Amino acid sequence: MPRRDDIESILVIGSGPIVIGQACEFDYSGTQGCKALRAEGYRVVLVNSNPATIMTDPEFAHATYIEPLTPESIAAIVEKERPDALLPTLGGQTALNATVALAEAGVLDRFGVRLIGAGIDAIRRAEDRRQFAATMRGAGLALPASGFAHSLDEATAVAREIGFPVIVRPSFVLGGGGSGLAATEDELKAVAGRGLAESPISEILVEQSVAGWKEFELEVMRDGADNAVVICSIENVDPMGVHTGDSITVAPQQTLTDREYQRMRDAALACIRAVGVDTGGSNIQFAVNPRDGRQVVIEMNPRVSRSSALASKATGFPIAKIAALLAVGYRLDEIRNDITGETLAAFEPTLDYVVVKIPRFAFEKFPQADPRLTTVMKSVGEVMAVGRTFTEALGKAVRSLERPDLEAPAGDPALDALGTATERRVLDVEALLGAGNSVDEVAAASAIDPWFVDQIALVADTAEALRGKDLGDLTAEDLLEAKRRGLSDVRIARLTGSNADRVRARRAELGVEAVFKTVDTCAGEFEARTPYYYSTYEEESEVRPAARPRIVILGAGPNRIGQGIEFDYACVHAAFALRDAGYETVMVNCNPETVSTDYDTSDRLYFEPLAAEDVLAVCRAERPEGVIVQLGGQTPLKLAHTLEGEGFAVLGTSPASIDLAEDRGKFATLLRSLGIPAPPHGEAASVDEARRIADEIGYPVLVRPSYVLGGRAMEIVYGPDELEGFVRTAAAAGPDHPVLIDRFLEGAIEIDVDAVSDGRETFVGAVMEHIEEAGVHSGDSTCVIPPPTLSEDDMDRAEEIARALAAALGVRGLLNVQMAVKDERVWVLEANPRSSRTVPFVSKVTGVPLAKVAALVMAGRTLAELRAGGLVPPREVYRTLAHTAVKAAVLPFGRFPGQDTVLGPEMKSTGEVMGIDERLGPAMAKALTAVGAGLPSGGTAFVSVANRDKRAIVFPAKRLAELGFTVLATRGTAAVLARAGVRVTPVRKRSEGGRDIVDLIRAGRVDIVINTPFGRGPRTDGSEIRTAAAAAGIPCVTTLPGALAALQGIEAIRDGLPAPRPLQEYQAPPPPPEQLRLMEPEPEPARAAGEAR
Amino acid sequence: MPAMTRGPEALLVLEDGTALRGRSFGAPGEAFGEAVFNTGMSGYQEVLTDPSYAGQVVTMTAPHQGNYGVNREDPESPRIQVSGFAVREASHRASSWRADRTLPEELADAGVVAIEGIDTRRLTLRLRTAGAMRCAISTDDLDPRSLAERTRTHPGMEGADLARHVSTKEPYEAAALVGPATPDRRPILRVAAYDFGIKRNILRRLAAHGIEATVYPAQTPAAEVLAGDYDGVFLSNGPGDPAATTYGIESAGALLGKVPVFGICLGHQLMARALGLSTYKLKFGHRGANQPVLNTDTGRVEITSHNHGFAVDPSASTSARPAHVESGFGPVTLTHWNLNDETLEGLRCNDIPAFSVQYHPEAAPGPHDASYLFDRFRALMEAHA
Ligand SMILES: Nc1ncnc2c1ncn2[C@@H]1O[C@H](COP(=O)(O)OP(=O)(O)O)[C@@H](O)[C@H]1O
Ligand SMILES: Nc1ncnc2c1ncn2[C@@H]1O[C@H](COP(=O)(O)OP(=O)(O)O)[C@@H](O)[C@H]1O
Ligand SMILES: [Mg+2]
Ligand SMILES: [Mg+2]
């Protein structure tokens, strides 16, 4: 079956902001899908609210809508664009749910939009746990015993029949939201209550618990001719009971015999056929009883998924791209395998290596959250590593995490404790084995398959054999064994009382060096065309000589709070720009969710940890002109000195300049010499010193430890007692770890500036104004381009400061400066000589591709040249835009019940969305809708603010009342409002007893909460209110400026939002690619780059 | 260093001098044979016991082998058939509720020489680029040069007649091995199965389709089988060069047209030769569980299990995928094609009841996509009853 000609335009729905359970894997999938559909000549209409995605770059679709992913908003786009078809399977659970809603609302029928890939019935059969169970039973497949419930009583009845323990799983929810194990009726009440609340249809599945069974996933693809193949098998090291997203997983599966594996494969194919996914990929999860091999189906996702992204990276088989092609009519045997170029997509990849994925958590950001791993997904990112053996891959994955505290076993864990999964569990397994417990004991205590435990025992034995030895006494064979068992140089150094540099040198001396092998989909049976490599300790290397000069781009590693998809975005842009400019681009990264680790994003891909030993090995193999360290966030920046020390050129801003900006002391001196104001600050190594410095500086102060290890990092402190508490507990200050103290600029407007400099001149991408005051981390605040309230003078001054800093720091490439405006002055909070979280936002809004510009500048181009080529506009454009864009942050509080939802200087958000319109009000309303905190157009508003905000709240509260809202307020706030003539109903605080505001929120009687914090700690009234609001899914505004912005949004909604417009209309068209290609690299870019420094 | 991962030193060499050093994890001694690689990710026990691997040193491209140990149900024949086994890493612990013992124990007891810790990908790439080669593994002679020299004195696979060595010496009833044919499929059909190195799962699949098989030695004359008045004859898989397996070709020729015939792998090659087609040696063969085969009857793609170093030549036809060829028994439809390299994978006689495939519908190891071929065999016999 060839390409379908009965459709011309296709709507693709993205997955929205990065949230726990849905991360940038859907940017990767969506980008592949859009690219494939475009290349086939279809008109692609894309909607996604997330501006930090590659897929929302205007060149990936014909019409790109950065709009909320609500049914209403997508319906407006459908009405305008009239697509022939909708491909719902690339945007995760979000896109599926939106599709179901659109179908149910009759939108698809009304506009004649056909679903391709998966039809509505198939989606329902897979997503509705009731239909799924029936479908599986119909296909002869076993599931755990289960029943459905719509109330607590029903749930109890079902559980009694099945027998405890049971697991509760809501339908149509993502990342295990609302699920949980219950061993008793009491536990069931709590878990079922949560599940019912989370399910959009108030239905839960109560199922026999098979916790402790082995968990597997198969990635299956099917085409329109009913050809079906398994792309990859994945085995979870953590058994059932830990969400697969939070489990350490391995591909291919390691512990099933062929007989059992084929039975699972048969079941997977029967499943995809029974569910009726017409074309595309599906993920099917199984549990296997380790005692007798009984297999049950757990669930299926009729779409690309996090696991399919992992499977694509693990095998080299681009599932999303193929899914898109299958959706438009192709068959598997009509599509080429890009990796080999000679074979077809109709086959099953086979691996001659082992892939290990480890999730990355952020519990340090949520100290009140439960750190146990359960059926509710909690991780914020993941790493993948490839090795020839499990131990090698495990070791590489561990060092990819960039968690020094999780690099080696520590402490003295108890055997019993292994029954509870935590992020440390594999290390505890190793520690217990090292301490003499047997593999069987450890396997029994953890329910981890003995094979994995045995593998970890090999690591423990290898480490023990090195402990206390002298590095100089180790033979080549010893070191080879250690490297093959995945021990990092850092760990070998620690075991032998040496340091990593010396270990590396010793290895080089003995010839124990990594070689590179190819991920080729076929275990060597066919020649691979695509240079997709991983390092391993073997004999033969497969790195091919290159024809053109190479530039290495270091990626950002795992997604975490503070460093996410935005940095990958910049790396990908650099790869595109430098490839167009004639270089061979070499990407190094270990995050399987990203576009950067797609094999065709760069010319060569190295799936490697971003640790010194691994990056240096890549550089030695590639001999690049230079290495780009400033686009992947803080991760590669840390490697700048090591690279330079080993003789590799760091492109762009020099390591010395990076140091100057990162070292607070040196940076403060620089600011002083430039006459730029900065908040006074000091460093304290003791409580007394801290008090003295704070007195000198004046309260409030912002305190943070200079060295953070899994604790809370930054706090605003209003008095000496609080200060003492912080220094004593959180920071554990000492001479080695001083506490940093800054004067806190209260009530200041925070601004962010992104700029790019070529060493001669500096182009300012944008000055952004934050809605929240300084004190709310820039990553969590709502931010607007063009600045809505800053004066021209403020903007001039901000630009001037950015230029002065770029010049003084010798920036070549990107510079991000955070500033605050207070008392008619612009202060500098910090400067980062690298890409920033806001680069994609600025690029989307202004149409100037900052990261591409920066990459070309690093390769030796000047801004003047790029301006002549049309890539950079003649002058700054952000102030004079005809539109306004709002970036809002998405917070994961829903995942961490009990965690206070108040914003502070410590970043907590996982992702971001953008609202764009001609006016601020609608842009704000859209941004907040996209965040999931859709503003109400009427109803009940609850207002309770800190004393300092009482006067300022009067105007917004009054306006709400005028708009017809019922205004509720706690006593103090109510009194002030009543005095000002606002119609207000007082309500009780929780601490006052009786039916209180928390009850009202829980009962769904409140539509918006405005609550600015006073007092700290988890048990305060404010905290309970905010937590209840988060649980109820209603907007909760915690700052005054936020309240004003929300008000504008509410007014815009009441006026009716304007019709959506695609980004292509907002942006000036990007320069055609020909223009980029004209700029050939200079004859000797190596020397040029060297001289530039 | 952990003692358990460290057997005595061992050496693997190819006839071209390529040498890989590792550790022994099987019996001490030396093994010679044709080096081949298998790309399946599971199923080492089935591979090791598949008689088609007789005379071969097998390397698995998947690095971890032995993870789930060995058990009593999965062998494809009563013993290990490979001459040597080469892996990246052998598991010294068996993790499965079905496991009886570990793979290293099994190999050592069976007297099979095995090497671990070698760069099996390097070995595989060498075989892919240079083609199948003779090979040796030794724990005695650790000098690459002398071992390679001795390797070159051993015979290669071309012209090798191995089937009669691995075949049963006496006829027997399959039911004794795999239980009676299922009564769910009626009537029970009776088949004579030529054992050129038959895999046990073929007998299981036949039984599961209501087919009762009597297994005959490879050199049984056709007349003897015809005298048994069977509903059909099955020609099994097996090792060696089909051209050298002349008795099999003769039997096939004598049976064709007289009784429904189904051939798998070597059985397919022998039947093809009896039809007048020729066979040839592939550069490095197909061994694995992921080979896409197009069925031209249905237009569907099957993912199939393969183990063959020779293939049937679809004649001098110049077109890429000829639909038919002529034979001494009338026209032959070419029904199956390998999508990776366009080699012929299956055929069906138009005028007489006979068909065959190059790959393994019985799987074990591998996917079950082609299991329908046993139904087809049944249907063919029913139609000619
Ligand atoms: N019956 C069960 N018994 C024990 N654990 C289960 C059961 N069903 C699911 N789980 C666990 O819960 C996790 C999440 O369940 P799943 O249905 O896959 O949710 P999601 O849709 O979020 O992927 C699974 O990965 C598994 O570890
Ligand atoms: N002196 C200060 N006064 C007021 N707010 C500050 C001050 N310093 C930092 N902040 C706030 O804390 C946030 C985080 O501080 P920053 O130094 O940017 O840390 P990070 O390295 O995490 O970005 C800023 O975005 C800002 O809102
Ligand atoms: Mg799941
Ligand atoms: Mg900052």
Side-chain angles (χ1 to χ4, degrees):
Chain A
M1 266 170 288
R3 175 190 184 281
R4 279 176 76 157
D5 289 329
D6 58 331
I7 47 182
E8 270 172 25
S9 61
I10 300 172
L11 174 64
V12 174
I13 304 178
S15 70
I18 305 298
V19 295
I20 290 177
Q22 215 167 251
C24 51
E25 63 268 17
F26 296 106
D27 186 27
Y28 160 65
S29 309
T31 301
Q32 266 195 357
C34 291
K35 249 189 339 197
L37 295 177
R38 257 198 95 126
E40 286 299 322
Y42 294 101
R43 174 176 161 80
V44 178
V45 180
L46 170 69
V47 53
N48 190 357
S49 56
N50 186 343
T53 49
I54 293 291
M55 75 193 293
T56 55
D57 274 354
E59 51 271 35
F60 288 92
H62 297 86
T64 307
Y65 288 88
I66 302 190
E67 296 287 328
L69 296 174
T70 57
E72 302 76 44
S73 147
I74 302 173
I77 294 165
V78 169
E79 179 165 8
K80 182 165 172 202
E81 292 284 345
R82 303 296 174 103
D84 299 319
L86 163 57
L87 179 55
T89 52
L90 297 177
Q93 190 74 43
T94 302
L96 280 190
N97 288 0
T99 302
V100 171
L102 287 170
E104 278 171 358
V107 173
L108 302 183
D109 285 344
R110 186 152 11 108
F111 296 105
V113 183
R114 273 164 287 174
L115 284 183
I116 54 175
I120 206 75
D121 294 340
I123 296 175
R124 284 218 186 87
R125 273 192 293 272
E127 292 291 318
D128 180 326
R129 304 234 192 234
R130 179 192 291 272
Q131 287 197 35
F132 181 67
T135 307
M136 290 304 98
R137 296 211 165 92
L141 302 177
L143 301 114
S146 68
F148 291 86
H150 301 88
S151 68
L152 293 185
D153 288 344
E154 277 178 37
T156 314
V158 174
R160 281 196 192 134
E161 197 177 313
I162 296 170
F164 285 95
V166 294
I167 177 172
V168 167
R169 300 157 75 205
S171 296
F172 288 101
V173 177
L174 115 137
S179 69
L181 285 164
T184 63
E185 290 201 7
D186 283 348
E187 279 177 25
L188 179 65
K189 292 224 166 73
V191 175
R194 235 175 332 189
L196 286 166
E198 287 255 344
S199 164
I201 56 169
S202 290
E203 179 179 89
I204 53 171
L205 174 70
V206 178
E207 188 175 79
Q208 171 207 357
S209 166
V210 292
W213 288 22
K214 290 143 80 92
E215 184 162 3
F216 296 88
E217 293 173 83
L218 296 191
E219 296 301 321
V220 188
M221 297 213 82
R222 184 184 187 211
D223 70 14
D226 194 26
N227 295 310
V229 292
V230 173
I231 303 306
C232 188
S233 63
I234 302 175
E235 177 164 3
N236 290 16
V237 172
D238 296 286
M240 288 292 292
V242 177
H243 196 280
T244 44
D246 284 355
S247 296
I248 296 179
T249 63
V250 180
Q253 68 86 11
Q254 294 292 331
T255 67
L256 294 179
T257 65
D258 186 67
R259 205 181 266 233
E260 286 121 21
Y261 171 70
Q262 298 303 340
R263 201 143 56 82
M264 191 175 281
R265 181 181 180 278
D266 289 345
L269 300 189
C271 176
I272 194 171
R273 290 182 169 127
V275 166
V277 175
D278 304 323
T279 65
S282 292
N283 156 270
I284 304 166
Q285 281 161 245
F286 294 91
V288 174
N289 187 335
R291 278 167 299 280
D292 60 13
R294 200 161 86 82
Q295 281 182 15
V296 290
V297 180
I298 295 301
E299 71 149 355
M300 94 98 81
N301 294 303
R303 52 172 171 86
V304 303
S305 62
R306 178 180 47 258
S307 299
S308 73
L310 182 74
S312 299
K313 304 294 165 72
T315 61
F317 188 103
I319 292 176
K321 170 182 175 177
I322 307 288
L325 293 174
L326 298 180
V328 296
Y330 288 103
R331 295 170 20 152
L332 284 165
D333 56 331
E334 291 171 333
I335 304 169
R336 281 227 157 261
N337 173 346
D338 291 342
I339 298 267
T340 64
E342 54 177 306
T343 58
L344 303 174
F347 81 117
E348 299 195 344
T350 183
L351 280 54
D352 58 4
Y353 46 85
V354 176
V355 170
V356 172
K357 171 211 92 178
I358 306 186
R360 162 129 184 173
F361 297 90
F363 292 118
E364 73 280 3
K365 295 272 181 185
F366 307 100
Q368 294 137 359
D370 179 0
R372 286 177 298 188
L373 308 185
T374 63
T375 58
V376 181
M377 182 169 163
K378 293 175 178 167
S379 59
V380 294
E382 61 190 21
V383 298
M384 177 182 116
V386 192
R388 280 275 284 161
T389 61
F390 173 73
T391 53
E392 186 174 69
L394 181 70
K396 288 175 75 177
V398 164
R399 67 176 180 268
S400 300
L401 283 173
E402 293 174 62
R403 286 280 304 268
D405 56 324
L406 293 181
E407 260 174 22
D412 195 5
L415 192 58
D416 312 342
L418 288 184
T420 306
T422 63
E423 61 176 333
R424 290 199 61 84
R425 183 154 73 165
V426 266
L427 297 173
D428 290 346
V429 163
E430 191 186 330
L432 283 158
L433 291 164
N437 295 275
S438 73
V439 168
D440 290 324
E441 281 166 347
V442 171
S446 60
I448 295 176
D449 190 281
W451 188 79
F452 294 115
V453 178
D454 186 55
Q455 291 290 308
I456 297 169
L458 297 173
V459 179
D461 289 351
T462 308
E464 285 313 311
L466 294 185
R467 192 183 299 282
K469 285 221 178 110
D470 199 278
L471 180 64
D473 293 341
L474 297 185
T475 63
E477 207 186 344
D478 293 337
L479 280 170
L480 183 63
E481 173 76 10
K483 296 313 284 181
R484 283 183 155 199
R485 290 284 169 231
L487 298 192
S488 64
D489 286 354
V490 172
R491 184 132 184 237
I492 295 172
R494 215 176 294 159
L495 289 163
T496 57
S498 178
N499 70 44
D501 292 343
R502 264 186 276 142
V503 173
R504 201 166 59 239
R506 175 82 184 143
R507 284 199 291 106
E509 200 181 327
L510 295 174
V512 180
E513 305 222 46
V515 300
F516 292 92
K517 301 242 181 236
T518 314
V519 170
D520 63 6
T521 74
C522 61
E525 187 173 359
F526 304 96
E527 194 176 335
R529 276 189 341 165
T530 311
Y532 170 5
Y533 300 123
Y534 65 94
S535 71
T536 179
Y537 285 82
E538 287 278 29
E539 294 175 7
E540 185 174 72
S541 198
E542 297 171 19
V543 174
R544 238 179 265 167
R548 288 170 289 146
R550 287 160 311 290
I551 289 182
V552 170
I553 303 164
L554 300 182
N559 274 9
R560 65 206 86 165
I561 289 176
Q563 190 169 302
I565 185 175
E566 304 84 358
F567 295 94
D568 199 65
Y569 178 93
C571 295
V572 169
H573 270 230
F576 291 163
L578 293 172
R579 183 195 287 196
D580 286 344
Y583 292 95
E584 259 194 56
T585 53
V586 180
M587 184 70 69
V588 187
N589 200 2
C590 55
N591 182 344
E593 302 169 340
T594 55
V595 178
S596 69
T597 50
D598 194 353
Y599 62 81
D600 66 1
T601 291
S602 45
D603 294 301
R604 289 158 177 250
L605 169 62
Y606 286 82
F607 216 105
E608 288 295 301
L610 290 159
E613 64 176 282
D614 308 277
V615 169
L616 287 171
V618 171
C619 288
R620 272 195 299 270
E622 286 290 348
R623 308 249 125 244
E625 305 301 321
V627 184
I628 292 182
V629 300
Q630 59 169 261
L631 299 180
Q634 223 43 47
T635 299
L637 219 53
K638 287 184 296 200
L639 296 172
H641 274 294
T642 311
L643 286 165
E644 197 178 44
E646 298 268 334
F648 297 106
V650 170
L651 296 187
T653 311
S654 72
S657 297
I658 294 172
D659 246 15
L660 183 54
E662 298 265 304
D663 184 302
R664 289 170 55 87
K666 287 189 208 159
F667 186 61
T669 313
L670 177 74
L671 288 177
R672 217 169 310 131
S673 74
L674 293 172
I676 299 172
H681 77 281
E683 287 185 13
S686 68
V687 173
D688 287 346
E689 204 177 345
R691 276 170 179 274
R692 204 176 55 245
I693 290 171
D695 283 342
E696 228 171 81
I697 289 175
Y699 288 96
V701 291
L702 186 73
V703 285
R704 59 186 125 183
S706 59
Y707 174 78
V708 195
L709 222 172
R712 50 172 112 180
M714 223 190 269
E715 258 183 49
I716 301 161
V717 161
Y718 285 84
D721 294 344
E722 234 181 300
L723 178 68
E724 188 167 326
F726 178 88
V727 177
R728 280 197 201 289
T729 58
D736 297 344
H737 308 310
V739 174
L740 310 178
I741 304 176
D742 284 37
R743 163 72 168 285
F744 178 67
L745 300 174
E746 195 157 38
I749 299 173
E750 184 162 349
I751 55 185
D752 248 283
V753 181
D754 282 316
V756 55
S757 181
D758 63 1
R760 272 163 258 196
E761 57 169 323
T762 299
F763 175 82
V764 174
V767 174
M768 291 156 268
E769 180 176 342
H770 293 195
I771 296 292
E772 290 81 0
E773 296 166 352
V776 170
H777 193 280
S778 53
D780 288 351
S781 36
T782 313
C783 131
V784 186
I785 302 176
T789 75
L790 290 186
S791 67
E792 292 291 326
D793 282 351
D794 290 338
M795 287 186 260
D796 288 346
R797 179 69 187 138
E799 284 192 26
E800 204 178 295
I801 290 175
R803 283 182 225 284
L805 280 175
L809 289 169
V811 168
R812 275 176 189 69
L814 287 166
L815 174 69
N816 166 263
V817 190
Q818 283 164 21
M819 309 180 197
V821 183
K822 185 176 159 80
D823 305 333
E824 310 282 300
R825 294 169 81 189
V826 179
W827 310 66
V828 167
L829 302 182
E830 69 165 350
N832 299 306
R834 56 162 167 80
S835 183
S836 75
R837 214 171 292 112
T838 39
V839 159
F841 175 58
V842 173
S843 303
K844 290 253 144 103
V845 177
T846 63
V848 183
L850 288 186
K852 284 187 176 162
V853 173
L856 294 169
V857 163
M858 285 184 260
R861 302 291 182 287
T862 63
L863 286 172
E865 284 165 2
L866 298 176
R867 194 173 284 123
L871 201 61
V872 178
R875 69 184 64 81
E876 277 69 12
V877 294
Y878 71 94
R879 290 191 210 188
T880 51
L881 297 170
H883 52 268
T884 294
V886 176
K887 181 191 90 133
V890 179
L891 294 146
F893 296 132
R895 286 273 145 184
F896 302 111
Q899 174 67 43
D900 191 0
T901 62
V902 66
L903 300 177
E906 177 77 26
M907 181 166 164
K908 302 209 156 120
S909 58
T910 54
E912 67 201 52
V913 297
M914 176 171 120
I916 184 167
D917 189 77
E918 279 165 31
R919 289 174 305 128
L920 177 61
M924 182 65 68
K926 288 185 196 177
L928 294 179
T929 303
V931 159
L935 291 169
S937 53
T940 302
F942 168 72
V943 185
S944 174
V945 296
N947 283 336
R948 59 177 141 73
D949 297 329
K950 290 225 159 82
R951 189 184 310 170
I953 197 65
V954 169
F955 163 72
K958 193 168 204 161
R959 185 76 190 123
L960 281 170
E962 281 165 19
L963 291 173
F965 278 83
T966 306
V967 178
L968 310 179
T970 45
R971 220 161 2 120
T973 308
V976 175
L977 292 181
R979 245 178 282 140
V982 181
R983 286 217 345 254
V984 59
T985 315
V987 287
R988 291 201 188 93
K989 294 182 188 172
R990 179 123 282 212
S991 53
E992 294 166 0
R995 184 163 167 83
D996 59 42
I997 179 59
V998 174
D999 295 324
L1000 289 174
I1001 293 173
R1002 289 198 183 135
R1005 302 268 300 278
V1006 178
D1007 301 292
I1008 180 168
V1009 168
I1010 298 172
N1011 175 231
T1012 64
F1014 40 98
R1016 292 187 172 269
R1019 291 272 64 92
T1020 57
D1021 280 311
S1023 153
E1024 284 205 44
I1025 291 167
R1026 292 184 294 266
T1027 308
I1034 56 171
C1036 177
V1037 183
T1038 61
T1039 63
L1040 264 185
L1044 290 167
L1047 199 56
Q1048 294 200 45
I1050 288 171
E1051 288 176 335
I1053 289 173
R1054 292 172 59 95
D1055 295 346
L1057 292 176
R1061 285 166 61 203
L1063 199 58
Q1064 285 82 355
E1065 278 180 30
Y1066 286 115
Q1067 272 191 9
E1074 288 73 29
Q1075 258 170 307
L1076 283 178
R1077 219 164 286 131
L1078 279 180
M1079 303 174 289
E1080 290 300 336
E1082 283 153 31
E1084 282 175 293
R1087 185 147 349 129
E1091 277 171 3
R1093 280 204 316 279
Chain B
M1 292 296 118
M4 61 187 140
T5 58
R6 296 269 164 135
E9 262 185 72
L11 176 69
L12 182 149
V13 297
L14 296 178
E15 63 180 279
D16 70 354
T18 305
L20 297 111
R21 285 184 191 282
R23 300 269 167 179
S24 162
F25 76 105
E30 297 195 326
F32 293 86
E34 180 186 43
V36 295
F37 63 88
N38 181 304
T39 63
M41 292 185 285
S42 53
Y44 53 84
Q45 196 179 356
E46 292 89 331
V47 167
L48 290 168
T49 53
D50 177 350
S52 297
Y53 284 104
Q56 292 175 328
V57 170
V58 178
T59 186
M60 302 297 284
T61 59
H64 286 285
Q65 298 294 328
N67 304 9
Y68 47 79
V70 296
N71 60 50
R72 257 171 246 174
E73 296 94 41
D74 292 351
E76 284 301 310
S77 74
R79 57 188 183 84
I80 293 187
Q81 304 278 359
V82 303
S83 15
F85 199 40
V87 309
R88 172 62 179 81
E89 182 154 317
S91 184
H92 294 254
R93 161 179 286 268
S95 174
S96 168
W97 66 97
R98 290 207 290 136
D100 274 342
R101 61 205 309 213
T102 69
L103 176 62
E105 282 164 1
E106 175 84 354
L107 290 167
D109 283 3
V112 177
V113 179
I115 184 169
E116 70 166 320
I118 61 166
D119 187 344
T120 48
R121 184 167 164 93
R122 175 177 166 219
L123 178 58
T124 301
L125 296 192
R126 184 72 203 138
L127 295 174
R128 180 190 80 206
T129 46
M133 266 186 270
R134 285 166 292 176
C135 154
I137 306 175
S138 179
T139 59
D140 304 333
D141 182 356
L142 299 177
D143 172 24
R145 219 189 267 193
S146 93
L147 192 59
E149 209 146 287
R150 291 195 294 126
T151 304
R152 287 191 286 269
T153 66
H154 279 257
M157 201 45 80
E158 224 149 342
D161 165 23
L162 301 176
R164 64 198 160 91
H165 299 296
V166 298
S167 177
T168 177
K169 299 284 166 273
E170 299 296 331
Y172 65 90
E173 294 304 317
L177 264 184
V178 299
T182 174
D184 301 348
R185 308 286 291 267
R186 296 212 166 262
I188 301 275
L189 300 176
R190 291 176 57 250
V191 156
Y194 267 90
D195 175 9
F196 300 114
I198 197 164
K199 285 168 66 187
R200 208 167 269 178
N201 211 47
I202 291 178
L203 300 179
R204 274 193 212 103
R205 298 311 298 153
L206 290 171
H209 285 77
I211 299 170
E212 209 173 73
T214 306
V215 184
Y216 284 93
Q219 289 173 289
T220 308
E224 198 180 320
V225 164
L226 285 171
D229 197 23
Y230 289 99
D231 297 308
V233 172
F234 175 78
L235 306 176
S236 88
N237 63 299
D241 184 343
T245 316
T246 47
Y247 43 89
I249 302 168
E250 271 163 38
S251 302
L255 292 163
L256 285 171
K258 305 206 173 78
V259 58
V261 177
F262 174 28
I264 287 181
C265 200
L266 180 64
H268 155 81
Q269 294 160 359
L270 298 174
M271 186 175 120
R273 288 195 75 101
L275 289 170
L277 303 177
S278 58
T279 53
Y280 64 102
K281 187 155 172 45
L282 294 165
K283 188 173 178 193
F284 53 87
H286 299 167
R287 288 172 194 85
N290 69 340
Q291 301 267 334
V293 167
L294 178 73
N295 177 337
T296 54
D297 287 344
T298 61
R300 300 259 304 262
V301 180
E302 302 156 16
I303 303 300
T304 58
S305 178
H306 283 224
N307 172 18
H308 61 108
F310 293 86
V312 173
D313 193 341
S315 91
S317 168
T318 44
S319 80
R321 271 184 209 164
H324 305 279
V325 290
E326 274 309 317
S327 84
F329 292 82
V332 173
T333 303
L334 305 180
T335 54
H336 293 80
W337 294 93
N338 190 307
L339 290 177
N340 282 345
D341 62 1
E342 291 295 323
T343 51
L344 180 66
E345 295 285 354
L347 51 83
R348 182 181 62 237
C349 295
N350 294 11
D351 296 348
I352 57 168
F355 72 103
S356 61
V357 287
Q358 177 62 73
Y359 55 97
H360 291 268
E362 82 283 5
H368 302 153
D369 292 9
S371 168
Y372 68 93
L373 288 165
F374 290 95
D375 292 308
R376 191 171 283 181
F377 186 33
R378 231 197 113 87
L380 191 68
M381 290 189 285
E382 279 172 338
H384 286 82

